[in-house]
Structures are given as structure tokens and as C-alpha cells.
Amino acid sequence: MNASAPQRRNGPAALVAAVLGAVLVLGACWLLLVVVPGALDEEKAFVVATGCPLARVSAECRHTVAATVTSVVADQKHRSTYYWLGFDPVPNGRKALSPLRVKMDGRTPVFAAVEPGAIAQLTYWHGEIRYVEYRDLRQYTSADPRGGYRLPFAAALVLIFLGGAALRGAHWWAGRAGEPDVPEPWRLAVPLVSALLLACCGFGTPWVAGGVPTALLLTAAGAVPVLAWAAWLTRRHRRRTTDTIRVAPLMPATPGCFPGRVLGEVPYAHEGFGYLVAAPGLLAATPDPTGRFARHPVPRTLTPIRVRPPYWTDPGPRPAPGSQVVECRDGATPVYVVTEKRYTAWVLGALVRCPGMEVRPGGGVLRG
């Protein structure tokens, strides 16, 4: 494995995250710049609209017709209840209007009060029934334009936070080209949880705020503790010690054979060689479980650097849980010796005669 392998692994991930983030941000911009302003304009026009004069009815003003209630139906589907009122409009002297079925916004107050045969008033605006009046009660229908901006505005805030998290991830992956990815859960968990918390905050504020500015202020206020928590947790993890594992080399008295692999772009890293033979000054890979045949010794130029847990970017298949990696160098080429935890000391002991190595009592491997 050469130095460009992490870059090859990180490159596609960075590209996918960048494309996903750009799509989410563009979708949020479309909602904020096109859909939300249109919904706000429609709400404002409805609020300021006046009743139509008797001589002329138009779509820009509100006009009301009388209708007889023909049905009161509560339709339950998928754990949700939809409230429908059926009407037979009273003829206006010129033509008879077709029967109507109107979806109400909730159960109260009109839906719960009317019965079939009652006379109600239906108010139209822009060709749709916006609310129903019965006696001194008024209930809006599902076509009520007030607050129509809330859903697209909430969706836009969610897309912004998720898209921003994806772009941040793309920047992080691109910046780590050529570096191994440490498989610590917090590196994924902290940004993901932060983005989800911010998205939940952004989705909820438009429904409790009285307008767009108030929703933005509430979202910003909710984002402050989330970002502070993420920054504190990230700083705390980064202050922790390195993932290097201290292992004291152990000189095997006799050659020992145990499961292990040599990985890397070197001639002595063979696929299918799943066992290692360790002895003083000898480390060899072999496909033979007994370690007697087809030994391929590693050269004396192989120098251990440190012992660490496996990384996602290491070559070869994922090792068994609890395995350790002896990270080495053969000149400028990275080489990885993977084995079980109990055999790591044997690997270091077998490499103790390599140049630049010395063993310290009670310690691990140190560079000379």
C-alpha cells in the first residue's frame, strides 16, 4: 500500500459528500427564494382581501355562498383522521351548483357542531373554499393559505443543516487525503448527531414562531448550545492521547507459528498467506498452519514504527475483532503486520534485530 491509497479511498467519499451537500443546499435555496416568498405573498393577499361587492364576484376578493350540509364524515387512515363535510350549495337563482366535499382543518369548532341538514356559509377565495361558518362559528379548511410558508421553510432549514454537514464532511475528507482515517466512533457520531439536532431545531421553530424572523432567531438560539457541545466534545477527544499501543517485544525461545498477515505493496506480502512464523531475528509469512513449509521471510529492512488498532483504510480484509496492527516501513513503503493481540509481542521480538530498533525494559518499541 503506497501513500496515495488513503487519497484514493477518501477521494470518492469527498466527492459524494460534496455532490450531496450541494444538492441539499440548492434545494434549500430554491425553497427559501421561491416557494417561501410565494407562500408569504399568498398569505398576505388572503389576509387583506375584502368581501366582493354584490354586483361583481372576482378571484381577488372573498365571496360567500350558502350551502346545506349533506354529510359529516371522520375518515381514519394510517393512524390519522381526516374530517370531511359534504355540502349541497343553495341555488343562486341563475344555476344550480354541484355538490361539494370539503376537507376541514381539524375537528373543531364547525365540524363538531354541524349536522346533516344544517345551513352553513362557504367563503371562496381564488376559486377555493377557505373557511366554513356556521352560526357564530368559523373553521378553516385544508386550503387555508395562512401559515402555508411553514412547511417549505422548515424543510429549507433542515436541508441547510444537512447540506452544510455534508459539505463539511467533504472538506474534511479532502483535507485528509494521504492520511489514514482513525476509526474512532466520535469522528462520525459528533457531526452526525449535531446535524440531526440542528435539523430538528430548524424543522420545529417555524411551527411555534409567529413569522420568518422569529423562527430564524429561535433556530439560531437553539443552534448555539448544539454547536458549543460539538466543539467541546471534539476538543476533548482531540486532547486524548494517541492510539499507539505500548507493547514490550517478546523474544520467542523457539520458532512459533500463529495466525497473521503481512499487508502492503511489497513483494513478500502474499495473498493467502494467513500465518506468521516468529523467531529471534526471523519473521516469515506462510500459508502452512504448521509453519514448516513455504516460508517467505521479511527483509531486514523492515522497521517497526508502532502498534495500533486497525484502521478503515488499511489494505486487505477487515481483521478479526481484537486484532492489532504493527505499523512498519520498508524504506518509504508502508507495511502492516496484522495479528491477534496476544501475538503482537512476538512480532516485535522477531523484528528486534532490524536496524534502528532497541528494546527498553517494560516499554515498547522505540526508534533509534
Side-chain angles (χ1 to χ4, degrees):
M1 176 179 178
N2 55 31
S4 64
Q7 185 173 4
R8 291 196 301 266
R9 293 171 182 259
N10 291 342
L15 179 61
V16 171
V19 172
L20 177 62
V23 170
L24 294 177
V25 171
L26 288 176
C29 292
W30 177 72
L31 291 174
L32 290 175
L33 299 178
V34 178
V35 179
V36 172
L40 289 172
D41 291 341
E42 185 179 22
E43 175 182 351
K44 182 179 179 181
F46 174 73
V47 171
V48 300
T50 58
C52 295
L54 296 178
R56 181 183 180 186
V57 175
S58 70
E60 300 302 323
C61 56
R62 306 182 190 183
H63 68 282
T64 302
V65 298
T68 302
V69 178
T70 59
S71 62
V72 181
V73 179
D75 188 10
Q76 187 168 2
K77 292 182 179 179
H78 306 295
R79 299 183 180 180
S80 298
T81 304
Y82 304 94
Y83 302 95
W84 298 87
L85 290 179
F87 295 98
D88 187 11
V90 178
N92 58 10
R94 290 172 294 183
K95 62 179 180 179
L97 302 178
S98 301
L100 301 172
R101 191 166 184 257
V102 181
K103 183 180 179 181
M104 305 302 293
D105 185 15
R107 186 177 183 276
T108 57
V110 172
F111 181 89
V114 298
E115 296 179 354
I119 302 298
Q121 306 296 318
L122 312 182
T123 298
Y124 287 79
W125 183 73
H126 283 191
E128 294 188 67
I129 299 175
R130 306 297 177 165
Y131 55 84
V132 177
E133 292 177 305
Y134 174 67
R135 296 178 180 173
D136 58 346
L137 304 176
R138 174 184 292 185
Q139 183 177 353
Y140 287 85
T141 70
S142 60
D144 179 16
R146 301 174 309 157
Y149 72 92
R150 286 191 170 93
L151 181 58
F153 184 43
L157 293 178
V158 171
L159 293 180
I160 285 179
F161 288 125
L162 296 182
L167 292 176
R168 177 65 183 88
H171 179 267
W172 183 82
W173 267 311
R176 289 186 60 84
E179 299 180 15
D181 292 330
V182 179
E184 294 179 310
W186 71 270
R187 293 184 180 273
L188 177 63
V190 172
L192 181 59
V193 172
S194 300
L196 292 178
L197 290 176
L198 292 173
C200 291
C201 178
F203 185 81
T205 52
W207 305 97
V208 299
V212 172
T214 306
L216 290 176
L217 289 176
L218 289 178
T219 302
V224 170
V226 174
L227 295 177
W229 169 80
W232 172 80
L233 199 59
T234 300
R235 186 176 182 182
R236 178 187 176 188
H237 279 287
R238 285 179 176 175
R239 283 183 172 181
R240 289 181 176 179
T241 57
T242 177
D243 61 346
T244 298
I245 302 172
R246 302 285 292 184
V247 177
L250 178 63
M251 295 287 189
T254 59
C257 184
F258 49 90
R261 295 172 58 90
V262 178
L263 304 174
E265 295 187 359
V266 289
Y268 47 89
H270 298 281
E271 185 175 357
F273 282 44
Y275 296 90
L276 298 174
V277 176
L282 170 68
L283 180 67
T286 176
D288 179 20
T290 65
R292 297 176 181 177
F293 307 102
R295 293 184 181 181
H296 283 233
V298 303
R300 298 175 63 88
T301 53
L302 186 64
T303 304
I305 305 298
R306 63 173 182 146
V307 179
R308 59 165 174 80
Y311 288 169
W312 295 331
T313 52
D314 287 341
R318 289 289 295 172
S323 297
Q324 292 181 344
V325 177
V326 181
E327 192 175 298
C328 308
R329 288 276 178 177
D330 190 347
T333 305
V335 181
Y336 308 94
V337 182
V338 184
T339 187
E340 298 177 19
K341 178 180 179 180
R342 53 181 171 170
Y343 301 124
T344 304
W346 282 13
V347 173
L348 296 177
L351 297 174
V352 74
R353 293 179 58 185
C354 292
M357 302 299 302
E358 61 176 314
V359 181
R360 298 291 179 86
V365 178
L366 303 176
R367 297 295 302 276

